[in-house]
Amino acid sequence: MAAAHENPDQLVTSSDPEHPANLIPSLCAKFWTLGWVTGTGGGCSIRNDNLVYIAPSGVQKELMKPADIYVLSLKDQEPSLKQRTYLRSPPLYKPSQCTPLFLAAFTRRGAGCCIHTHSHWAVLVTLLLEAKGSSVFEINNIEQIKGFGKGMGKVGNLGYHDTLRIPVIENTPHEEDLTEYLEAAMEEYPDTYAVLVRRHGVYVWGDNVHKAKTQCESLDYLFQLAVEMHQLGLPWISSIAQIGPQR
Ligand SMILES: CSC[C@@H](O)[C@@H](O)C(=O)COP(=O)(O)O
Ligand SMILES: [Zn+2]
């Protein structure tokens, strides 16, 4: 069998549905049904050890094929250069503009998967926070908070009474310019698994595909709930620290 450097297509050819080159298209097709990657916006990237799998830019994310996927080697990237080198580049495309943001989750957090959505709920939450002059989404005393890990490298998930905090960064005209702000938010909130982008969407990551996907689902649930709570005049943060029986 030819080595990957002789036949780069080998890097995206597998009969295993769990192979990243198969998973990115199948996940994005599911995400499209949720309104997360509509109109070419949003996307998903997976890291398998040193290899990173990336979608093309500006394509209908729900219609991608494994042959459309880019592959790069993390250790072969020159950190000081914005220019990246790819082990495999499909013809006719450019790699996703979200690539430097996905790479930040892989290199700074050791994530195995990063999802970017343009979910209405995420955008609406950033607008409600903007009206309050706030740059952090905070919610507590909701069961779904337990769907989040305590932080990269920490064991276990948040508890029902814990407060989930997701920082918000301002949008920029060019996606790649978000990177420095995303990285700054990661520094300021070392335990966060997500960063909201004002009037744009959210980046969510996890140790692996399962965790990134379930955390993204939990977050979208909480964003929708928060918008609906706001419409009902209910606060997201309970002033009583612990709702429920005290032990
Ligand atoms: C609908 S344009 C959205 C892009 O600017 C960007 O925010 C995005 O989410 C997807 O970028 P892409 O380069 O197509 O992967
Ligand atoms: Zn986007």
Side-chain angles (χ1 to χ4, degrees):
M1 197 198 279
H5 65 273
E6 290 168 15
N7 180 9
D9 290 353
Q10 223 180 283
L11 291 166
V12 296
T13 310
S14 170
S15 56
D16 180 359
E18 300 295 311
H19 186 284
N22 296 329
L23 255 187
I24 291 175
S26 67
L27 285 173
C28 283
K30 291 189 176 84
F31 297 162
W32 184 81
T33 66
L34 299 169
W36 287 4
V37 296
T38 199
T40 78
C44 166
S45 178
I46 296 174
R47 179 180 71 85
N48 187 354
D49 197 9
N50 175 54
L51 295 185
V52 173
Y53 298 78
I54 295 161
S57 181
V59 301
Q60 296 178 78
K61 300 289 182 354
E62 75 282 13
L63 301 182
M64 277 186 298
K65 304 275 181 290
D68 300 333
I69 301 297
Y70 286 78
V71 186
L72 64 73
S73 156
L74 268 186
K75 67 174 168 46
D76 292 349
Q77 305 308 306
E78 175 52 61
S80 60
L81 293 180
K82 281 196 170 176
Q83 195 67 32
R84 279 166 290 279
T85 55
Y86 290 85
L87 297 175
R88 181 185 190 267
S89 300
L92 306 176
Y93 292 126
K94 284 195 280 190
S96 170
Q97 292 174 34
C98 310
T99 300
L101 294 117
F102 293 144
L103 293 184
F106 300 147
T107 57
R108 295 186 174 238
R109 290 296 166 88
C113 176
C114 185
I115 299 167
H116 171 43
T117 90
H118 282 197
S119 161
H120 280 197
W121 303 118
V123 175
L124 282 169
V125 157
T126 69
L127 291 170
L128 290 174
L129 289 168
E130 184 178 62
K132 288 202 251 176
S134 173
S135 291
V136 61
F137 171 71
E138 294 179 297
I139 193 163
N140 65 8
N141 292 299
I142 300 290
E143 180 69 8
Q144 196 73 34
I145 288 167
K146 288 158 66 177
F148 284 84
K150 285 186 176 156
M152 243 36 189
K154 294 188 175 172
V155 179
N157 279 18
L158 294 180
Y160 170 61
H161 295 301
D162 290 331
T163 297
L164 174 70
R165 288 188 180 86
I166 309 291
V168 185
I169 58 172
E170 301 305 320
N171 200 27
T172 55
H174 302 290
E175 192 88 15
E176 64 180 34
D177 295 336
L178 288 171
T179 315
E180 62 180 290
Y181 301 103
L182 181 105
E183 290 174 347
M186 285 172 158
E187 292 275 318
E188 194 178 346
Y189 293 83
D191 291 334
T192 193
Y193 284 97
V195 173
L196 279 157
V197 185
R198 188 100 64 202
R199 296 171 174 265
H200 179 157
V202 65
Y203 281 84
V204 186
W205 57 88
D207 295 337
N208 51 43
V209 173
H210 167 98
K211 288 191 179 165
K213 176 174 175 287
T214 55
Q215 290 189 145
C216 198
E217 287 165 355
S218 293
L219 209 45
D220 205 56
Y221 169 102
L222 290 167
F223 291 155
Q224 177 173 1
L225 192 72
V227 170
E228 292 173 346
M229 287 169 84
H230 175 81
Q231 287 169 337
L232 294 168
L234 300 169
W236 305 336
I237 285 281
S238 170
S239 48
I240 308 161
Q242 300 208 344
I243 305 286
Q246 314 293 307
R247 290 212 204 161

